[in-house]
Amino acid sequence: MSSSTAITDRIALLQSQIKELKVQKQDATPLIDEMKSLKLQVAEQKKADAAAGLAAPSAGGEGGFQLKVPKGTKDHDPAATLMRKKIFNTLEGIFVKYGGATIDTPVFELREILAGKYGEDSKLIYDLQDQGGELCSLRYDLTVPFARYLAMNGVVSMKRFHIGKVYRRDQPVMSKGRMREFYQCDFDIAGTYDSMVPDAEVLSLVVEALTALDVGEFTVKLNHRKILDGIFEHAGVPADKTRAISSAVDKLDKVSWEEVKREMVSEKGLSEVVADKIGQYVGWKGPGREVLAKLEADDGLMSVKSAKAGLEDMKLLFDYLEVYGALDKMSFDMSLARGLDYYTGIIYEAITEASAPPSKSPVPSVPPPTTATSSSKSKSSSTSPPAGSGAVPADGEPDETSVGVGSIAAGGRYDNLVGMFSASAGRKADPVPCVGISFGVERIYSIMEMKRRAREAKEGTAGKKSGKETEVYVLALGGGLVKERMGFTKMLRDNGIKAEFMYKTKPKPPAQWKAADDDQIPFVAILAPAELEKGTVRIKKQVGKEAVEGGAVADERGEEVNVSEVVAYLRRKMAE
Amino acid sequence: MSSSTAITDRIALLQSQIKELKVQKQDATPLIDEMKSLKLQVAEQKKADAAAGLAAPSAGGEGGFQLKVPKGTKDHDPAATLMRKKIFNTLEGIFVKYGGATIDTPVFELREILAGKYGEDSKLIYDLQDQGGELCSLRYDLTVPFARYLAMNGVVSMKRFHIGKVYRRDQPVMSKGRMREFYQCDFDIAGTYDSMVPDAEVLSLVVEALTALDVGEFTVKLNHRKILDGIFEHAGVPADKTRAISSAVDKLDKVSWEEVKREMVSEKGLSEVVADKIGQYVGWKGPGREVLAKLEADDGLMSVKSAKAGLEDMKLLFDYLEVYGALDKMSFDMSLARGLDYYTGIIYEAITEASAPPSKSPVPSVPPPTTATSSSKSKSSSTSPPAGSGAVPADGEPDETSVGVGSIAAGGRYDNLVGMFSASAGRKADPVPCVGISFGVERIYSIMEMKRRAREAKEGTAGKKSGKETEVYVLALGGGLVKERMGFTKMLRDNGIKAEFMYKTKPKPPAQWKAADDDQIPFVAILAPAELEKGTVRIKKQVGKEAVEGGAVADERGEEVNVSEVVAYLRRKMAE
């Protein structure tokens, strides 16, 4: 950066000169223009440096190595971290409103705890090296650790939320927010309750949360494992192939039916006839009660016990969701299967228009109906949710990190997971049925970020990048006054006011003004020997960079205030 | 737990009976006694179950395994998580007040990033298994990732804080809060500033934070690497042995001088004479300016350049700390060395009386003086801080997880770390001097937890264990009214009120009352068919368990309120 220090100094000088001109109500345009172009230079230089850092040759320097973060991970700068915190706070507020309590579990678990919980995705689990002692793996999600917690502590009912990072050795696609390290925000209800009541609570929470997060139009795709299994049984899928076929169906929102069918037939050894029978159903989706009626009219399917049981659940669920005013956000969707092994009841995924990648690919087409009633194409197009197509990614790769392609939240009911743990630990325990939701923060974040940029572009404003909340910058004009600035800053902080000063004994005024402007600190406290003599300082309201770059500026010189009255004065001004 | 369900049912019944008796102003003592003993039973059963879970035989169950968390880690239950969050919020509030901004870095780094940064403790680093691709390790602290962040992004000045988990494969001692996974809360100032100004800021922050956290009496042990190196040079330690000898001295707060000397002589090959010369100094500690004067009076030592430079720094620092009103919390301590390699200037550790383990061991004794002026024993005893002895642990094991034995915060100045990264990545960059502090949350937590327990024991109150913040429990008397409870609860939540109800269609009144009592939910909304007809519900103020267990109880039956006025009514009542 040393190359650019000259420039930044020049910028600082220009800024103070511009200030001066403004005070004298003179035209500062030429200086402003020069400064702006210089700033642009600096910004580009910074970018270049960072890039250089990422691409630094391994040969460079003694014991040289690449200065980077591990593949699929990234640093979050102050602005990004602050935005994430806002998401967390919004979600947490709602989790608590629904009676949730939070727990904190280790970031790694015994390897055997995670084993056999994630179906085909188990290969994505990060293992810790065996350095002697137990074999551990980084957690893949927050659900399995929660189930382990319940079983281990003999807890039979709990409403818990957990916000934490999870880890998946997937092929990262940063642009799509698919990372190897990413946050999940989970809310789960454990306990033996009456059918669909907790399920309705969770779905109501999802709708409230996504509305509060302002992610734009969204839809919750909804299905039931029992109905899906019923369809497979009805179509003639051998019981031992059910899960395999299920995860094939799960890919329908990423690849075409043709591909899914090929996988079923050639890879999973399903007969063509059976596959086609499945194909008749998987395209069905739309408003809950519409699809419900269609399924109930299908006598063949209704003759399958599990399918009928699943439909009973859904009917009850829709009644409850109506009470919650959440029914119209749902899309009952036969193509939703969810990859994970542990789901036993309803499953769901929330998608949004905004979560569609820039370049859209066509909606996966479902083959033309062989019978009139199963006209999936027409049905799906007539009843498909607005966001449905928006959720299809540019490429066909699986995107697990945002909890399903384009989905920003996903979950379902898992009634046996806790019992599995108790059993395999050789303990007697009541089964602990669970239902829960996991919000994919990375995807939500990128949507909010997109919206923010759009807003700023429209309003021509630049968001505060520093991630600081400092309220007062304490600077000295004439003399260094370092101890005075220290003491004054401490006095402000002791009164709960966020204050800073420059850590130099004799800082130049321009440098101090620049520091205050760069972080857009709303107030500046000006310490000067003469005024301190009188026991006063000057408080100046800043208007951020605009103050320097041509915006309207109030009280250029600031107001003179008795030191003893500064706190009260500032509190008043801040409240304005 | 099924064995105990009968008991819990009985408890629920008793509770409602007790309520009835109270309403009729009759004596409920016998029932109360029975209930209390039953509750005790349940509690013990729970404990036993949990223990059984931890100790479950690997042979138990099919594919059986131990149901536990990895060695050195633990789950934090809702109450513990909530208490931790309080600590984080207190610290964050102060970090922000000092102008800090936060970043978020990956939990694992490229292995080469961490290599050679932690001296003898590098062996404690957790490695991820090589599953193809980059070699990574879990972060050992938050400081090295911060330095990596600055170098990688070419940032030359930043005030950043970071709250996150770090990992050390140490021998865990849970009772002492020494874990393999634990939180650190770091605040660091990076940038080229004037001597000791940022250093004073950090130490002022430490004093403010520990005061706010209410950890009891505390002292900040303070030293300077240059003075320490000066002492070694003066004593005749070969330059190449400096770091090794330094880490031997660092053990002085855990083991006796005799042991440290033995390590220096027999292990690190130092001559007896040199070791004794060091022994003359390491006992010196006390109020900053006292020790300062002693050192300045030592002509031999003053003839060593680095020692003199270090003293100049300290003199300036003490002046600044006086302005901050933080000087009296400091203890200038020659025995403080800090293990880590990267420190280059002042180093410090905060210790508290409360952070002493229950069983105290004697203060490590320093050998009787060989010369009058270096009478370390007498000096140290006369000037040793009150908390000094309190910081000595029961056993002699090193305790890194709480950032030094008994210490609840530690840090120092590291001026070369960022430059090291830039250099080894083959990049030109200004050096970026840094100074920072790391708070050891586990230790702070256990101190606050101890204090909380003591307070509750004194007041005979039991803290809220549920970790919930629910304000209203919505229950039904007569009929299940599940949709009514849903709708009413949604109405409350839509108005920002934290509300819950039982997820059963026809829950028994006792079970509902118990649920509200168990979580000490302050208000209960009672829905009854007759009243709903009239468009009213009853709101009852709960007094927590005490309401059932013999405390004074207000408005037993609650107040009848129009549904349309419930929100306003509750807001008013909650404000009371």
Side-chain angles (χ1 to χ4, degrees), chain A residues 1-2 49-50 53-54 56 60-71 73-78 81 85 92 96-99 101-113 125-129 131-132 134 136 138 148-149 151-152 154 156 158-159 165 167 169 181 183 189 192-194 197-198 201 319-320 323-325 421 423-427 430 466-470 482-483 486-487 490 493 496-501 503-506, chain B residues 1-2 49-50 53-54 56 60-71 73-78 81 85 92 96-99 101-113 125-129 131-132 134 136 138 148-149 151-152 154 156 158-159 165 167 169 181 183 189 192-194 197-198 201 319-320 323-325 421 423-427 430 466-470 482-483 486-487 490 493 496-501 503-506:
Chain A
M1 306 299 296
S2 44
D49 286 4
L54 281 155
E62 61 285 356
F65 57 87
Q66 287 198 20
L67 199 52
K68 63 187 285 296
V69 292
K71 181 182 182 186
T73 71
K74 69 175 166 197
D75 294 320
H76 304 299
D77 66 16
T81 308
K85 196 177 266 169
E92 192 170 331
V96 167
K97 217 165 66 170
Y98 276 71
T102 187
I103 65 171
D104 186 2
T105 64
V107 80
F108 49 81
E109 296 271 345
L110 294 181
R111 206 165 289 175
E112 53 200 4
I113 297 281
I125 293 174
Y126 269 103
D127 292 328
L128 289 185
Q129 192 172 99
Q131 292 169 284
E134 303 157 329
C136 301
L138 296 182
R148 191 263 311 149
Y149 174 89
M152 185 173 134
V156 293
M158 179 176 202
K159 245 186 283 187
K165 286 175 169 178
Y167 300 86
R169 288 185 58 261
E181 175 187 63
Y183 280 100
I189 300 175
T192 306
Y193 300 117
D194 287 330
V197 183
E201 274 270 287
D319 289 350
Y320 291 151
V323 177
Y324 281 108
F421 281 118
S424 44
R427 305 180 53 202
D430 304 334
S466 72
K468 284 188 180 191
E469 299 170 36
T470 307
V482 64
K483 286 186 182 177
M486 270 180 192
K490 174 181 168 35
R493 288 172 180 162
I497 294 171
K498 308 182 186 74
E500 283 188 90
F501 63 96
Y503 298 148
K504 304 232 179 194
T505 51
K506 292 184 169 44
Chain B
M1 306 299 293
S2 45
D49 288 4
L54 280 155
E62 60 285 354
F65 57 88
Q66 286 197 21
L67 199 53
K68 64 186 285 295
V69 292
K71 181 182 181 185
T73 72
K74 70 175 164 195
D75 294 321
H76 303 300
D77 66 17
T81 308
K85 194 178 265 168
E92 192 170 331
V96 168
K97 215 166 66 169
Y98 277 71
T102 187
I103 65 170
D104 186 1
T105 64
V107 81
F108 49 82
E109 296 271 347
L110 294 182
R111 205 166 290 176
E112 54 200 3
I113 296 281
I125 293 174
Y126 270 102
D127 292 328
L128 289 185
Q129 193 173 97
Q131 293 169 283
E134 303 158 329
C136 300
L138 296 182
R148 190 265 310 150
Y149 174 89
M152 185 172 133
V156 295
M158 180 178 201
K159 244 186 281 187
K165 286 175 170 179
Y167 300 86
R169 287 185 58 263
E181 174 186 65
Y183 280 100
I189 300 175
T192 306
Y193 300 117
D194 286 330
V197 184
E201 275 270 287
D319 289 348
Y320 291 151
V323 177
Y324 282 108
F421 281 118
S424 42
R427 304 180 52 201
D430 304 334
S466 72
K468 285 187 179 189
E469 298 171 36
T470 307
V482 64
K483 287 187 181 177
M486 271 181 192
K490 173 179 170 35
R493 289 174 180 162
I497 294 171
K498 308 182 186 75
E500 284 188 273
F501 64 95
Y503 299 147
K504 303 231 179 195
T505 51
K506 291 183 170 44

Side-chain angles (χ1 to χ4, degrees), chain A residues 321-547:
Chain A
L321 288 178
E322 195 156 37
V323 177
Y324 281 108
L327 184 54
D328 60 334
K329 287 291 186 186
M330 305 293 141
S331 169
F332 195 1
D333 188 333
M334 290 302 115
S335 73
L336 180 70
R338 307 278 300 125
L340 303 179
D341 283 354
Y342 50 65
Y343 289 118
T344 56
I346 62 165
I347 47 180
Y348 34 85
E349 267 184 24
I351 52 174
T352 107
E353 278 174 330
S355 60
S359 69
K360 283 195 181 184
S361 68
V363 190
S365 65
V366 181
T370 49
T371 77
T373 60
S374 66
S375 165
S376 48
K377 182 144 201 143
S378 56
K379 292 286 174 202
S380 65
S381 52
S382 67
T383 60
S384 81
S389 61
V392 181
D395 60 42
E397 292 173 308
D399 179 359
E400 269 302 321
T401 66
S402 57
V403 219
V405 165
S407 83
I408 54 178
R413 172 164 286 281
Y414 49 102
D415 287 348
N416 306 331
L417 193 55
V418 180
M420 272 167 58
F421 281 118
S422 312
S424 44
R427 305 180 53 202
K428 278 188 309 317
D430 304 334
V432 181
C434 298
V435 61
I437 182 73
S438 177
F439 292 87
V441 177
E442 303 310 326
R443 181 59 60 100
I444 292 170
Y445 169 78
S446 42
I447 293 172
M448 292 176 78
E449 182 64 11
M450 271 160 32
K451 289 189 146 218
R452 188 184 62 75
R453 290 222 192 81
R455 208 180 312 117
E456 285 178 6
K458 204 160 117 282
E459 299 165 0
T461 61
K464 187 164 179 166
K465 286 282 163 296
S466 72
K468 284 188 180 191
E469 299 170 36
T470 307
E471 296 162 321
V472 180
Y473 194 85
V474 180
L475 55 78
L477 294 187
L481 302 174
V482 64
K483 286 186 182 177
E484 288 77 1
R485 284 179 290 135
M486 270 180 192
F488 188 81
T489 304
K490 174 181 168 35
M491 184 273 291
L492 293 177
R493 288 172 180 162
D494 289 346
N495 286 280
I497 294 171
K498 308 182 186 74
E500 283 188 90
F501 63 96
M502 183 162 285
Y503 298 148
K504 304 232 179 194
T505 51
K506 292 184 169 44
K508 294 196 186 63
Q512 296 179 83
W513 283 112
K514 183 177 183 308
D517 285 340
D518 287 350
D519 290 343
Q520 298 181 24
I521 298 170
F523 291 92
V524 170
I526 304 164
L527 275 53
E531 286 158 345
L532 285 178
E533 284 280 314
K534 299 184 290 172
T536 65
V537 299
R538 268 182 296 136
I539 306 295
K540 180 180 172 308
K541 193 170 194 317
Q542 293 281 92
V543 197
K545 282 198 162 37
E546 292 64 34

